Amino acid sequence: MTKSVEYFFSIGSPWSFIGFDAFAELAAKNDVVITPYLTTVVEENGGIFSRNRPEIRRAYWTRDLKRWARVRGKELRLEHRPDLSDPTPASLFVIAAYLDGQDWIGVARALQHAFWSEARDIGKPDVREAIVTSVGFDGAALLKRQADDDVQNKWSADRVHARDSGVFGFPTYVYDGEIYWGQDNLPFLERHLHGDKP
C-alpha cells in the first residue's frame, strides 16, 4: 500500500543536503509518495538560523555536520567558502519541476550538491540554470517558470503549511500526523512506516 510523507526541507540547509539521498532511498524502498514543501527556518515556531546561535553551539554544529556527512558519504565544504548569495531562490526551480511533473528530486540533488559540496553560487539565476542544464534538465525553462504565479503561490503556501504543521527546522518529515525532525530521525520514520507508531 502506498504511503504519503510530507517532506519539509530547505536548499540552504546542510542537514537537508546530508539526509536527502537517504530519505529518497527510504521512500523508494517503502513505496512512499513524497510531497515536498520548500521554505526557510520557521522562526515563529522556534527555529533558529545557525548564524544566530552562540559560537560554542555553532562550533559543535559544524563538527556534527562533518561527522554525519562522512556517515552519509557526502562531501561537505564548510571552510573557505566564498561569499555566496542567498540560495533560497533555487527552491523555485525545485517547485517548478515538481509542479510540472518532472524529476524534482534530481533538480534538488543537483542544486544542493553544487551549493554544499562545490560552494557554487546557486543564488544567481545563470549559475543555477547552468547547473541543472548540465545534469539533463531544461534550465532555461525552469528559470522562466520560477516567476510564474503557480510557482510563487506554492512557495508562499509552503511556508504557511510548514508553520501550521509545527515545523521549525529541516529536514522535517510528517507521516500519519507524526513529526520527525532531522535526518537522524529517519530510522524512526521507517519504523513508523512499518506500523511502529510512537
Side-chain angles (χ1 to χ4, degrees), residues 26-46:
L26 181 155
K29 184 173 71 172
N30 292 280
D31 196 25
V32 166
V33 172
I34 304 170
T35 303
Y37 296 93
L38 289 99
T39 186
T40 57
V41 171
V42 187
E43 294 179 287
E44 305 97 299
N45 289 346

Side-chain angles (χ1 to χ4, degrees), residues 108-125:
R109 180 181 288 121
L111 291 169
Q112 286 181 321
H113 175 79
F115 187 71
W116 288 111
S117 295
E118 300 173 346
R120 295 180 65 185
D121 197 348
I122 63 172
K124 294 181 177 178

Side-chain angles (χ1 to χ4, degrees), residues 80-141:
H80 311 297
R81 288 173 66 87
D83 288 334
L84 303 175
S85 52
D86 182 4
T88 300
S91 302
L92 301 174
F93 270 37
V94 180
I95 290 172
Y98 171 72
L99 291 176
D100 292 347
Q102 297 183 47
D103 176 19
W104 65 268
I105 290 177
V107 172
R109 180 181 288 121
L111 291 169
Q112 286 181 321
H113 175 79
F115 187 71
W116 288 111
S117 295
E118 300 173 346
R120 295 180 65 185
D121 197 348
I122 63 172
K124 294 181 177 178
D126 58 326
V127 173
R128 59 180 177 270
E129 178 184 351
I131 288 165
V132 299
T133 298
S134 71
V135 293
F137 296 98
D138 187 342

